[in-house]
Amino acid sequence: MPTPSPTRARGGSLEDLRRANRRLVVAHLVADGPQSRAQLSRSSGLSATTVSSLVNEMLEGGQVRETAQGRPHKGGSGRPPVLVELATPPGGVVGVDIGHGHVRVAAAGPTGEVLAERVRRLDVDMAGLSTLDVAATMIRTALADAGLAASGLHGAGMCVPAPIDRETGTVSTGILPGWRGLDPARELEERIQAPVIVDNDANLGALAEVRHGAARGHHDVVYVKLASGVGSGLILGGRVHRGATGMAGELGHVQIGEDGDVCRCGNRGCLETRVSARRLLASLQPAHDEELTLPLVLELDEARDAGVRRVLSDAGTTIGRALADLCNHLNPSIIVIGGPLGGAASVVDAVRHAVDRYAQPATAEAVEVTSGELGERAEIMGAVTMAVAMATAGD
Ligand SMILES: [Zn+2]
C-alpha cells in the first residue's frame, strides 16, 4: 500500500521519520477504513509499539478516534479489538487534476468522498499561471456546489502532467513550456489560502488504482497513463517511487528509434511521439469522414473496426516492448493501463503479448496486465486521496 509523501519533504531527522510514519498510518486508515492497532501494524509494516505510540499521539491530537469494536480474531475467544478510525472534522478537501487538455476539480468531504466535480477543457501547456487561476475559480465553484465553506477547506492535492523536482517543488522540464520554473503548489496556495500538495499525474493515478481500483492488494505496480502524453507511475515495495529528482517513470520518453520525430522533451524518437492519443487519432483520421474523438475510437475498437484495431494494437505492441524491459528491471506483479486509451481491449491485449514476447518468461508470467478501473478519474481520485492524507496528518 503506497503512502503519499509530499514532494518537498526532506528526510533525515527523527521528526521527519515520525511524520512519515504518521502519514503511513493515515494512508492505511483512508484506504481500508477503521481497523485495529494490530491490523494497522500488519498492513503498514510498522512495529506494534510504533503504531501504538502514533495512534495515542493522534488520539490526543484529535486526528483519530476509537470506535465500535471489531470482530474477535478468527477462532479466538479473547475480547474483540477496539478499532481506530479517522476523526472527521467539518470541512473538506479538494483534488485538482491538470492534464494537457483539461482541468478537473473535485470537492470532497474530510474522508475523501467526492461531493462535487467540475471539468473544463483547455490547453494548459503554455499557460501555467492562468491555468492555476482557472483552477482556483473552479475550486471555489466546486466547494459551493458541495455546500462546503471555503473557510473549511483543509487543503488541496493537485497533479500536473510533468515531473515535479523533489527539492524545489518546481516543474523543471520543458514538457510543459508555460510552467517551467513554476512552483504550482505555492502558486495555488496563494490563490486558495490553503495548503497544497502536488505530484505528477501518473503517480497519483497509480496511487488511486492501488487504493480504489484494479491494483488493490498489489505492492509492485506499474501504472501507465495513455493520454495526450504517455507517463507511468511506479509503486515499488508499496511506495510511490519518484526517483532522486522526481523524474522516475518517464515511459513516454523511452527511445524507440534514432530518427523519429522531435519530441517536446527535446529528444527525438521518444515513445510518446509514436503512441500519444493525438498521434493515434491523426493516423486514423484519414480513413474516416466524421471527426474522430477518443470515445469514438474506443467504440470502434469494441465494434472490431479493422483499422482502429490495427493502429491500437501496433501502439500496444510498441508500449509493451518498452514495458517488457521495465518488467525485467522491476519485476512488478501488475501493469495497469489507464488514461482515456486504457479501456481499449486492442491496446491491453497487445501490451500483454509484447510483455510475453520480450520480457524474460518467469517475469512475464509473474505480471498481470489489465485496464484501469477508474478510467480518466484515476488522477483526480489520487489527488483527493493525497489531500485527505495531508490534511489528516497535519503536514
Ligand atoms: Zn521525449
Side-chain angles (χ1 to χ4, degrees):
M1 193 58 70
T3 170
S5 62
T7 50
R8 283 179 291 173
R10 291 172 185 86
S13 75
L14 271 179
E15 185 44 42
D16 287 341
L17 179 65
R18 205 164 170 77
R19 198 177 301 133
N21 286 341
R22 196 163 56 221
R23 272 201 302 272
L24 187 59
V25 167
V26 168
H28 282 280
L29 289 171
V30 170
D32 306 327
Q35 53 197 301
S36 69
R37 287 169 170 78
Q39 282 168 316
L40 269 175
S41 164
R42 272 196 301 278
S43 56
S44 66
L46 298 171
S47 75
T49 320
T50 303
V51 166
S52 206
S53 139
L54 287 170
V55 166
N56 287 341
E57 185 184 294
M58 288 163 70
L59 277 170
E60 262 176 45
Q63 292 107 346
V64 298
R65 63 185 167 218
E66 289 180 324
T67 178
Q69 296 182 331
R71 286 193 216 101
H73 297 300
K74 256 184 218 153
S77 55
R79 273 195 316 153
V82 173
L83 303 185
V84 177
E85 70 175 6
L86 289 176
T88 54
V93 298
V94 293
V96 182
D97 162 26
I98 293 178
H100 290 291
H102 70 262
V103 177
R104 186 186 293 265
V105 166
T111 54
E113 71 284 10
V114 173
L115 302 170
E117 201 165 312
R118 295 246 161 185
V119 191
R120 240 183 99 172
R121 306 282 157 196
L122 75 166
D123 197 345
V124 313
D125 291 11
M126 303 303 291
L129 291 175
S130 60
T131 299
L132 291 166
D133 287 338
V134 169
T137 306
M138 288 172 70
I139 287 171
R140 283 187 275 276
T141 315
L143 285 172
D145 289 348
L148 293 167
S151 57
L153 178 60
H154 299 305
M158 171 167 64
C159 66
V160 294
I164 299 289
D165 186 291
R166 299 195 68 188
E167 274 298 310
T168 62
T170 58
V171 178
S172 53
T173 70
I175 290 174
L176 286 178
W179 294 67
R180 185 178 255 167
L182 245 172
D183 181 336
R186 209 198 50 192
E187 292 289 344
L188 190 63
E189 271 169 10
E190 281 173 9
R191 286 164 174 74
I192 63 170
Q193 301 300 314
V196 176
I197 187 168
V198 69
D199 206 336
N200 164 259
D201 58 348
N203 289 347
L204 291 193
L207 186 68
E209 288 288 353
V210 170
R211 289 285 162 72
H212 310 288
R216 268 175 298 212
H218 288 268
H219 298 265
D220 294 279
V221 179
V222 174
Y223 170 81
V224 180
K225 182 181 174 189
L226 280 187
S228 320
V230 176
S232 72
L234 307 173
I235 308 278
L236 301 179
R239 288 176 183 255
V240 177
H241 177 76
R242 297 182 173 84
T245 60
M247 296 290 293
E250 286 297 295
L251 179 70
H253 304 281
V254 167
Q255 293 301 294
I256 297 300
E258 291 291 330
D259 54 356
D261 292 347
V262 170
C263 176
R264 58 201 168 128
C265 75
N267 216 329
R268 70 182 299 196
C270 293
L271 177 71
E272 190 174 286
T273 61
R274 293 267 295 270
V275 304
S276 70
R278 237 174 260 181
R279 180 63 181 259
L280 299 183
L281 285 174
S283 313
L284 287 165
Q285 189 60 66
H288 296 263
D289 293 332
E290 58 192 317
E291 196 191 335
L292 284 181
T293 59
L294 283 180
L296 190 53
V297 166
L298 290 178
E299 260 176 49
L300 287 167
D301 185 48
E302 219 164 285
R304 306 179 77 79
D305 176 276
V308 166
R309 292 183 78 203
R310 173 66 197 267
V311 166
L312 293 187
S313 85
D314 286 351
T317 302
T318 307
I319 297 161
R321 180 153 198 174
L323 286 170
D325 290 342
L326 196 60
C327 287
N328 279 338
H329 291 296
L330 302 178
N331 184 206
S333 59
I334 189 167
I335 294 172
V336 179
I337 316 282
L341 275 168
S346 296
V347 173
V348 177
D349 291 348
V351 168
R352 171 80 261 176
H353 286 128
V355 168
D356 286 342
R357 177 160 184 187
Y358 298 113
Q360 80 164 303
T363 307
E365 207 173 297
V367 68
E368 188 185 329
V369 178
T370 184
S371 288
E373 278 179 17
L374 306 175
E376 57 180 357
R377 294 192 66 243
E379 283 73 25
I380 193 79
M381 290 185 69
V384 167
T385 302
M386 192 168 66
V388 169
M390 171 183 68
T392 314
D395 291 323

